[in-house]
Amino acid sequence: MVEWTHLPGLAPYAETLAAMEARAEAIARGEADEAIWLLEHPPLYTAGTSAKPADLTDPQRFPVFETRRGGQYTYHGPGQRVVYCMLDVKARGGPQGGDVRCFVRALEAWVIAALAEFGVKGVIRPGRVGVWVVRPDKPPMPDGTPAEDKIAAIGIKIRRWVSFHGLAINVEPDLSHFDGIVPCGIRDHGVTSLVDLGLPVTMNDLDAALVRTFDGAFAGFISCV
């Protein structure tokens, strides 16, 4: 069973992180159900375990938090749905269980399925973490390939086979706030949101899509190649 919780308002980062880690520990001990928290943070930057100092281009703009999730620099703020996923990786990591790569692919599939409910085609690119959308309305890249913008970030930590941290999906954040970092260390592509794509999607709309598509994303994995 997965317990879904919506945290109202703007959740303070440090306190929420501590509560998330405590819940993940309780799940690992068998004392609590799996959990998904839906929330927004006040404007801030987080540094994953692979963050490079040069990628924090405006360190005075917003508070910066070092975090033990994978990945590099990420922005969180109002208008972005943060999804903290405290899940049993042994149970959800592929047909054999415990396959971290398969678990991450299931998270990616979940985001893609939720976006598809609004007619948005999310894609995964080798060497680029997260979920992307092709932008034929923008000038092509120097090599002639279409421009692509990031719409969702994925960064998790696994401890005792329970995941925490999770997803950040852009609904209607202030996209200029991403200018203070190199998001996920990728300089050649931009950032977008559902509203930036011309879709009048609300947080409630996205939350409903996430709930509807969750089970299917983790079911039916025959292979993770």
Side-chain angles (χ1 to χ4, degrees), residues 131-153:
V131 178
W132 300 77
V133 293
V134 179
R135 300 299 304 270
D137 55 315
K138 289 188 171 184
M141 301 298 294
D143 63 0
T145 59
E148 294 181 350
D149 287 343
K150 190 171 193 175
I151 196 167

Side-chain angles (χ1 to χ4, degrees), residues 9-11 39-44 62 75-82 169-175 177-178 193 203:
L10 298 179
L39 60 130
E40 294 172 80
H41 283 306
L44 57 91
F62 298 124
Y75 166 76
H76 294 315
Q80 181 190 73
R81 174 53 83 218
V82 173
I169 305 172
N170 296 331
V171 178
E172 192 178 9
D174 185 336
L175 295 179
H177 288 181
F178 286 88
S193 70
M203 284 289 183

Side-chain angles (χ1 to χ4, degrees), residues 56-95:
L56 180 61
T57 58
D58 190 356
Q60 305 304 317
R61 188 166 191 178
F62 298 124
V64 180
F65 294 88
E66 292 188 3
T67 180
R68 286 170 285 183
R69 62 157 175 81
Q72 302 186 43
Y73 280 106
T74 299
Y75 166 76
H76 294 315
Q80 181 190 73
R81 174 53 83 218
V82 173
V83 186
Y84 284 145
C85 306
M86 291 147 278
L87 300 173
D88 183 344
V89 177
K90 280 192 174 180
R92 298 183 180 277

Side-chain angles (χ1 to χ4, degrees), residues 12-74:
Y13 186 78
E15 292 88 336
T16 306
L17 183 64
M20 174 179 60
E21 293 199 12
R23 178 59 179 260
E25 284 293 332
I27 295 168
R29 293 194 301 268
E31 298 172 357
D33 290 329
E34 293 177 294
I36 291 181
W37 293 355
L38 305 170
L39 60 130
E40 294 172 80
H41 283 306
L44 57 91
Y45 299 129
T46 66
T49 54
S50 301
K52 301 174 183 177
D55 288 346
L56 180 61
T57 58
D58 190 356
Q60 305 304 317
R61 188 166 191 178
F62 298 124
V64 180
F65 294 88
E66 292 188 3
T67 180
R68 286 170 285 183
R69 62 157 175 81
Q72 302 186 43
Y73 280 106
T74 299

